[in-house]
Amino acid sequence: MTTTGRTDDGLRLIPFRGLRYVPERVGSLAAVTSPPYDVVVRPDGLLHLESADPYNIVRLILPQAATPTARHQQAALTLEDWLSEGVLAPDPEPALYVYEQHGGGLLQRGLIGALALSEPSEGVVLPHEDVMPHVVEDRADLMRTTAAHFEPLLLTYRGDANANGSTPMGAGAVIERTVRREPLLATTTEDGYSHRLWAVTDPADLAEIQTELAHHQAVIADGHHRWATYLRLRSEQSAPGPWDFGLVLLVDTGRYPLRVRAIHRLLHRLPVSDALAAVAETGAFRIRTLAVPLPDALDVLAEASASGNAFLLAGDGRFHLLDRPDTDLLARTVRADRPQAWRDLDAAVLHSTLLDHVWRIPDAPEHIMYIHDTAAAVEQAERRGGTAVLMHPVREEVVRDLARQGVTMPRKSTSFGPKPATGLVLRSLTVN
């Protein structure tokens, strides 16, 4: 949404001296990157990244030690060692960075920079999901101890020329000019995505970007916990400084639409048979068992979701579709003090009706794990004897509309992507 009136009440993205891997000191740039910390959910995934290269960024974002304090101190020591050894080095001058990802039929380009922090009430950066306090506390201690931002949040906005094929303006024009140059780095990660990064240091380009962004607001697509962490750490400071800004990737989704996927739930302590029995006893949903492979089951879920709330349960070698919910039960269990679009969300119905009312499962880490990868959710449910609840993704328009109304969705309702690779550019809060 373009703001009106003042021209300085929107986004303020400033350059910074990025910390980047020195290519000669690592096996390859691809080998030292990782997905965001909350996507690396499986121990085997963590071990795979740690063994890919001794300098893989996962040793900073997910350090391993006996206690949280020891983990975060380990990350700080590792960062200090890598800087002193020349594995990581700051760029010679402050810059905004044009970042490009390409793969899976999708092209994404955006700007990485240090964004001035603002509270949701200011209407500049809008969250769309709730956060879990224990995650914010963990990320805050890591950032506080290392004095660094290791991975950019993903934020979306709609630029001045937001129709595909139209002539870009402002930030979009700078991006299109910049990508014609040789990049600072280029690599292809094992997921098949290519990544390229350029530095923007020309004062005229920087001014053109800032002039346009000052008229816009953004929605947090990925990184709610890190944004909440930025705000917490800013509140701890006694004077203005680097903690007033947070590392972000800004993408104009009018030109480069993001892909929206669901985040699935793994219920550790609830076998599928017990989950189905409770649903049947309450009559909360119609139940249909599908003797089909996962891709076909997801197609059935998509079709059912087009006409109402629907979920797939997995974990016993089959898929069970829950659809056609009891409308009276929804009216009794889903919060009435929210817009209808919120009440219709699958995540709202899952947590209010199924988790709270039917299954009586608290939203706590010992009971629920949030998993982005569909096959991984099914595999873990089968291995652990639990229940995977597979979700259908929410449309971006719904997310944006609710965010503009100041209404947050249940946490982990969406997964926007492609997410920026972690490890291509870092921000130190002690490097000027």
Side-chain angles (χ1 to χ4, degrees):
M1 182 175 76
T2 302
T3 60
T4 58
R6 291 167 44 225
T7 60
D8 60 350
D9 56 356
L11 301 166
R12 182 184 172 211
L13 191 70
I14 67 169
F16 69 102
R17 290 181 67 193
L19 293 184
R20 295 190 296 110
Y21 281 99
V22 177
E24 295 77 15
R25 295 301 312 274
V26 297
S28 73
L29 288 174
V32 296
T33 64
S34 93
Y37 78 97
D38 58 339
V39 180
V40 185
V41 294
R42 295 181 296 180
D44 56 338
L46 180 62
L47 293 172
H48 170 73
L49 291 168
E50 287 183 327
S51 61
D53 189 284
Y55 299 116
N56 189 281
I57 193 67
V58 78
R59 297 178 187 273
L60 298 181
I61 64 171
L62 290 172
Q64 299 301 293
T67 66
T69 299
R71 288 198 297 270
H72 303 147
Q73 291 173 343
Q74 178 63 43
L77 291 173
T78 300
L79 176 60
E80 182 180 334
D81 289 345
W82 290 1
L83 287 168
S84 63
E85 295 169 11
V87 174
L88 288 170
D91 281 335
E93 60 181 318
L96 296 180
Y97 296 87
V98 172
Y99 175 51
E100 176 189 273
Q101 293 183 85
H102 189 202
L106 191 147
L107 175 66
Q108 175 180 284
R109 288 174 178 155
L111 288 167
I112 294 177
L115 185 69
L117 303 182
S118 59
E119 296 289 344
S121 59
E122 298 176 57
V124 179
V125 176
L126 306 176
H128 73 266
E129 288 185 355
D130 295 331
V131 297
M132 294 176 274
H134 74 279
V135 177
V136 174
E137 181 59 42
D138 178 76
R139 291 294 99 182
D141 194 39
L142 176 65
M143 291 184 198
R144 191 185 297 114
T145 306
T146 60
H149 295 158
F150 294 134
E151 42 191 339
L153 283 66
L154 177 58
L155 272 62
T156 76
Y157 75 104
R158 294 299 178 98
D160 289 335
N162 56 23
N164 288 329
S166 62
T167 301
M169 302 168 61
V174 175
I175 289 172
E176 298 308 316
R177 293 197 300 268
T178 301
V179 297
R180 300 189 189 111
R181 307 196 317 248
E182 281 296 311
L184 288 176
L185 64 85
T187 189
T188 300
T189 45
E190 65 179 10
D191 59 6
Y193 276 84
S194 64
H195 308 261
R196 298 196 294 172
L197 192 76
W198 296 260
V200 178
T201 58
D202 180 82
D205 287 341
L206 295 173
E208 188 173 354
I209 291 169
Q210 291 165 352
T211 298
E212 185 205 352
L213 293 182
H215 293 271
H216 295 289
Q217 64 180 181
V219 174
I220 300 174
D222 184 72
H224 285 82
H225 289 90
R226 281 166 282 162
W227 184 260
T229 299
Y230 290 166
L231 293 176
R232 172 181 291 193
L233 294 175
R234 181 184 67 167
S235 71
E236 298 175 0
Q237 310 308 310
S238 58
W243 295 96
D244 296 335
F245 297 82
L247 183 63
V248 306
L249 166 63
L250 268 176
V251 175
D252 178 357
T253 53
R255 298 195 64 81
Y256 298 105
L258 296 176
R259 181 185 59 227
V260 187
R261 290 179 171 170
I263 302 177
H264 311 295
R265 276 65 167 160
L266 173 61
L267 312 180
H268 299 295
R269 303 177 181 178
L270 182 69
V272 174
S273 58
D274 292 351
L276 292 172
V279 172
E281 181 179 353
T282 58
F285 284 80
R286 181 178 69 168
I287 302 172
R288 285 187 287 161
T289 298
L290 310 175
V292 297
L294 177 58
D296 294 342
L298 292 174
D299 288 341
V300 175
L301 174 62
E303 182 179 351
S305 295
S307 56
N309 302 113
F311 309 94
L312 275 180
L313 305 190
D316 62 353
R318 297 178 296 175
F319 299 100
H320 309 273
L321 178 71
L322 307 186
D323 68 350
R324 298 186 183 179
D326 181 331
T327 55
D328 291 338
L329 180 60
L330 296 187
R332 295 197 308 272
T333 56
V334 180
R335 292 180 59 167
D337 61 342
R338 290 290 186 271
Q340 190 60 47
W342 188 95
R343 293 172 55 80
D344 291 339
L345 291 170
D346 286 339
V349 171
L350 171 62
H351 283 262
S352 300
T353 303
L354 285 171
L355 291 174
D356 292 350
H357 180 77
V358 176
W359 294 327
R360 302 189 183 281
I361 294 176
D363 190 0
E366 60 269 26
H367 292 279
I368 302 176
M369 177 183 288
Y370 293 84
I371 302 180
H372 292 72
D373 184 83
T374 309
V378 174
E379 185 271 332
Q380 290 210 40
E382 292 178 348
R383 177 152 51 95
R384 300 183 182 198
T387 296
V389 183
L390 306 184
M391 313 274 286
H392 186 67
V394 181
R395 292 181 294 110
E396 182 184 352
E397 293 78 11
V398 174
V399 174
R400 189 174 296 276
D401 287 346
L402 286 172
R404 285 174 173 164
Q405 295 178 57
V407 178
T408 54
M409 299 164 64
R411 50 183 168 254
K412 299 297 183 182
S413 293
T414 61
S415 176
F416 282 84
K419 304 178 190 303
T422 299
L424 296 181
V425 61
L426 290 61
R427 177 178 180 243
S428 169
L429 283 85
T430 60
V431 173
N432 296 321

